[in-house]
Amino acid sequence: DGYRMVEGRMERTSAGAPGSQSNRVGRAAAWSVFLQDRLVLGRWTLVPGVRYESIGFTQTDYARTDPGRSAPTRVVENGVDVLIPGMGVNVDVSAMLSLFGGVHKGFGPPGPGADRETRAEGSVNYELGARYRRGALGLQAVGFFNDYDNVLGKATLATGGSGAGELFNGGRVDVAGVELVVDYDAAARAGRPFRLPLRLAYTLTRAEFRTDFESEYELWGSVQAGDELPYMPRHQLFGSASLESAAVALRLSGHYSSEMRTVAGQGRIPPVESADAQLIFDLSGEYRVAPWGSVIAAIQNLSDRSYVVARHPAGVRPGLPRTFSLGLRLAR
């Protein structure tokens, strides 16, 4: 359908045939096996594993004017075989402190319809961190680094593409960051018949392309090494405070996300290529009415804040407005 804005109101100017945006059938057949073990050697715990996947894809395209799919216009077949190893390690330094780390291969299949030039998404992911727990206080710090040898972009209607789902190679990408988490039960020492858990988490992420290339993918365009990935906020902060008892639970949470790019680039973000920094609060509650069920309610975006969450497809997209929900949770 075609639309236009008239004095602030959206009006339809033309009607398209239902279901004619794209007309295709994608199929995949996969074999997957894995082997994993858990080895405990004193204070050390090792978790090695390996996974093998073999996937065959078939995409059959039909004309948009052929809703009955009487004759295909194109059939594309492709496949991928991959071995995915990984290793996790944990060591208990003391009863309160443990260190952990891991190295794992990442993999994303190209999917049906990909041409022969489209490579699978692959990476090697590293993490190293520490956990500390003493009574009601918990601390965690984690550093991570994801080394992509190829990242994939998919052109969908949501990203401003035609809806055909074309895939684009993005080459090498480095994603590095750190996450810090603190949680504390403020009512633990008081001997109260309820809990008052508090949680604060901060994540710093930096994601950059490591190669120069030209792409028809709208979110990338002309990329130079050092350009930041779009839709990847540098700073994220989450906090929550809850009141929990046997019958009632209330939770107030807030999430902050810094300004982010909507198109690959570096330096100062142009206003027409940015999504707003945002601080959003949510409120939720649950009341247990019987052993078999609870009433649940929530308010998202409590302050009804207006903000730009994306600029694809076709211009500015707003975030979720204040939203109320009410439901019933059943339990056996």
Side-chain angles (χ1 to χ4, degrees):
D1 296 344
Y3 292 86
R4 67 178 180 180
M5 298 296 294
V6 179
E7 296 181 353
R9 299 178 63 87
M10 188 165 66
E11 295 183 355
R12 188 169 68 174
T13 58
S14 62
S20 63
Q21 178 61 43
S22 60
N23 191 2
R24 64 184 183 275
V25 177
R27 291 187 172 90
W31 290 95
S32 178
V33 295
F34 76 92
L35 179 66
Q36 187 181 69
D37 198 8
R38 180 183 176 87
L39 308 174
V40 180
L41 306 171
R43 294 184 174 184
W44 292 80
T45 300
L46 309 178
V47 185
V50 63
R51 180 184 182 93
Y52 171 77
E53 291 191 10
S54 179
I55 312 173
F57 301 101
T58 303
Q59 179 169 299
T60 306
D61 294 337
Y62 298 88
R64 297 181 181 182
T65 56
D66 182 18
R69 294 175 176 167
S70 59
T73 59
R74 187 182 70 152
V75 177
V76 179
E77 295 183 346
N78 60 319
V80 63
D81 296 277
V82 63
L83 195 66
I84 311 170
M87 168 72 82
V89 180
N90 186 90
V91 55
D92 294 325
V93 179
S94 67
M96 295 178 289
L97 177 64
S98 63
L99 305 178
F100 62 91
V103 180
H104 298 85
K105 179 177 175 61
F107 166 73
D115 56 37
R116 296 185 181 277
E117 295 181 356
T118 303
R119 296 184 289 135
E121 186 171 86
S123 62
V124 179
N125 310 306
Y126 308 86
E127 67 171 355
L128 182 64
R131 296 188 186 95
Y132 176 83
R133 170 65 65 178
R134 182 174 182 177
L137 176 65
L139 304 172
Q140 179 172 290
V142 185
F144 57 89
F145 178 71
N146 303 328
D147 182 8
Y148 285 84
D149 56 43
N150 184 54
V151 68
L152 283 178
K154 187 172 184 178
T156 64
L157 289 176
T159 60
S162 65
E166 301 98 329
L167 293 167
F168 298 90
N169 295 317
R172 290 185 56 203
V173 169
D174 289 346
V175 182
V178 63
E179 182 175 75
L180 306 174
V181 181
V182 180
D183 62 83
Y184 178 69
D185 186 352
R189 292 187 177 183
R192 305 286 186 179
F194 57 83
R195 298 179 63 244
L196 189 59
L198 308 175
R199 183 178 179 84
L200 188 65
Y202 168 74
T203 305
L204 170 67
T205 307
R206 185 171 181 85
E208 294 183 349
F209 289 98
R210 306 309 303 166
T211 50
D212 300 346
F213 63 94
E214 297 287 335
S215 177
E216 296 180 3
Y217 186 40
E218 187 173 332
L219 274 63
W220 294 347
S222 179
V223 174
Q224 297 181 345
D227 282 357
E228 297 176 332
L229 267 69
Y231 293 105
M232 183 71 71
R234 178 74 62 88
H235 305 281
Q236 295 185 80
L237 182 66
F238 172 82
S240 67
S242 303
L243 176 63
E244 302 173 358
S245 68
V248 178
L250 295 174
R251 184 187 189 192
L252 176 65
S253 61
H255 178 264
Y256 169 79
S257 179
S258 63
E259 179 188 36
M260 59 184 176
R261 299 181 181 277
T262 59
V263 178
Q266 52 187 295
R268 185 175 180 181
I269 305 177
V272 295
E273 296 180 359
S274 70
D276 292 341
Q278 53 189 271
L279 176 60
I280 305 300
F281 292 96
D282 300 327
L283 179 65
S284 61
E286 180 173 351
Y287 177 66
R288 191 171 184 84
V289 295
W292 49 263
S294 303
V295 175
I296 54 176
I299 306 175
Q300 295 173 270
N301 193 358
L302 188 61
S303 62
D304 200 22
R305 178 182 175 86
S306 298
Y307 58 97
V308 175
V309 72
R311 293 183 181 270
H312 298 90
V316 168
R317 301 284 160 166
L320 182 75
R322 183 188 292 129
T323 301
F324 300 86
S325 61
L326 181 67
L328 181 65
R329 177 179 289 130
L330 303 179
R332 296 182 60 184

